[in-house]
Amino acid sequence: MGRRMRDDWAGQSQTVLDQPAPDAIREQLNSLLASPFFSHSKRFPHFLRFVVEHTLAGDADNIKERTLGIEIFGRDAAYDTASDPIVRVTAAEIRKRVAQYYQDPLHRDELRISLPPGSYVPRFQDPCESPEAVVPDPALVTEEPAAAEAPHEARPGRRSWLLMAVCGVVGALLSAGGILLWQQSHRATLSPFWQPVFSSDGPVLICLADQLGYSGITLRNAAEPTQLVVLNDHLTAVIIDDLSAIVKVAGIFQRNGKPYVLKGEGATNLADLRAGPSVIIGAFDNAWALRLTNPLRYHFGNDEGMRHLWIVDSTHPGQSPQWIVDRSVQMATNDYRDYAIVARFTDPTTGNLAVVLAGIGRGGTEVAGEFLTNAGDLAQLQKMAHNAGDKKNMEVVLSTHIIDGDPGSPKVEAAYFW
């Protein structure tokens, strides 16, 4: 990569870096797409490679939202980009994953490929060219979004993300000093919604959905790891998308010094909920979420065969549900719109504070957990609550676009405060 001099508009000389060589860009692109942030998805790598190759070919002027919708996602040439945000949602997710990749110290000195907000044309930079060589943690920084894109946290590939998230919680347990520093600088951002939970007596119960997912378990022989032995068992499984929300919420409690206990839905009883505040995660696989939200304005519904699942607005009893998931579409395409309820209220049966994070599908629950642990989303919620008169109880309906099983940004569909 060479350097050249140019005169800026004020007549002062500036040093400008030429664009990295195409071969170097392609090599870096391959490294980026091979990382866990991209390797578990099909569309994100296809999208990023498409825009990089067209830019290198000198065709950047034609990288437009409609073009990408047609070429990458197979949309009709006349499709409505305003009502179909698939390109914007995908670009937003790619920006987050790229930022997460470069946050790793192992990658900070690598050639940088980025997708600037508001544009689908990638930028290529030598690391020394940018003053932001250390990328801030996307979980703590709100990015200026492109049109119709709500800020949200980065999500790499599902399993890799969970490994890193669990490691982050464990690291928090071992780093009390770091927890205190983080707590002092971020408690004010997170406390408007969570403060009533933090100030309550005793530990918080996190009630998670559980499934009897396995009738057997496969173990490896210690002397010969390639040898597999299948044993009869009955294991309780935690849905991996729900675990994403669990880790996020538990991380907030840990950083703020609030004790908590984890219990499966099947092991939780009314006495547990009467003992203190609770966080209920999951919807159709968590009976407590269905019971506690059933008296609320927004609650869950379904047909007899569970072929259609939805969220009900009880103020419009005769109206067809507008927030609905068709299971046949969900299973056949993995490209659909999911919905979730997030709520904080005092339950009249238990007399205690309850927080619910529950999606119709698994991606909805993941986005619900994201919404209630992201500083930007919490600020949006706090503003809505303030405009509604700072009521103590609140309920919000969220939506998100699921692409290849990965949820996009959370969007507020409706809210109620009382």
Side-chain angles (χ1 to χ4, degrees), residues 38 40-49 72-73 75 86 90 94 333-335 401-404:
F38 287 91
H40 297 283
S41 174
K42 296 179 181 178
R43 291 188 177 180
F44 298 140
H46 182 36
F47 186 109
L48 189 54
R49 189 177 293 280
I72 298 178
F73 302 104
R75 297 303 193 256
I86 189 169
T90 303
I94 287 174
T333 68
N334 218 5
D335 185 341
H401 193 172
I402 307 296
I403 304 173
D404 283 341

Side-chain angles (χ1 to χ4, degrees), residues 4-218:
R4 57 187 172 85
M5 301 295 293
R6 70 167 171 83
D7 292 332
D8 64 9
W9 64 271
Q12 296 177 335
S13 294
Q14 290 184 326
T15 301
V16 179
L17 290 174
D18 295 328
Q19 180 172 292
D23 287 347
I25 293 173
R26 291 188 175 97
E27 182 179 353
Q28 181 62 29
L29 176 64
N30 290 335
S31 298
L32 189 61
L33 299 184
S35 71
F37 305 103
F38 287 91
S39 61
H40 297 283
S41 174
K42 296 179 181 178
R43 291 188 177 180
F44 298 140
H46 182 36
F47 186 109
L48 189 54
R49 189 177 293 280
F50 182 95
V51 297
V52 167
E53 291 295 345
H54 277 68
T55 301
L56 293 179
D59 196 29
D61 290 342
N62 291 321
I63 300 179
K64 307 293 185 183
E65 180 178 2
R66 183 175 302 279
T67 303
L68 296 173
I70 296 169
E71 296 293 333
I72 298 178
F73 302 104
R75 297 303 193 256
D76 185 84
Y79 90 99
D80 184 3
T81 58
S83 62
D84 187 347
I86 189 169
V87 174
R88 299 190 297 273
V89 169
T90 303
E93 189 63 33
I94 287 174
R95 291 187 188 102
K96 301 298 185 179
R97 296 186 182 215
V98 168
Q100 192 80 353
Y101 173 87
Y102 285 112
Q103 185 184 3
D104 189 326
L106 294 175
H107 304 306
R108 287 177 182 169
D109 294 329
E110 296 178 5
L111 185 153
R112 306 183 72 79
I113 298 175
S114 62
L115 203 61
S119 173
Y120 304 116
V121 179
R123 179 180 299 162
F124 315 116
Q125 295 174 291
D126 184 273
C128 65
E129 186 179 349
S130 171
E132 299 175 350
V134 178
V135 180
D137 184 347
L140 306 180
V141 177
T142 301
E143 175 186 281
E144 190 67 25
E149 290 175 7
H152 67 294
E153 291 185 44
R155 275 186 303 273
R158 186 86 78 246
R159 295 184 184 276
S160 298
W161 183 92
L162 287 168
L163 288 174
M164 289 184 289
V166 172
C167 289
V169 173
V170 174
L173 288 168
L174 300 176
S175 306
I179 292 171
L180 291 175
L181 290 175
W182 194 99
Q183 177 178 330
Q184 292 171 0
S185 60
H186 293 278
R187 182 189 294 271
T189 301
L190 295 173
S191 62
F193 179 87
W194 289 105
Q195 189 59 48
V197 180
F198 296 152
S199 59
S200 62
D201 295 330
V204 180
L205 167 65
I206 301 179
C207 175
L208 53 106
D210 50 29
Q211 296 275 351
L212 293 177
Y214 305 95
S215 59
I217 182 172
T218 301

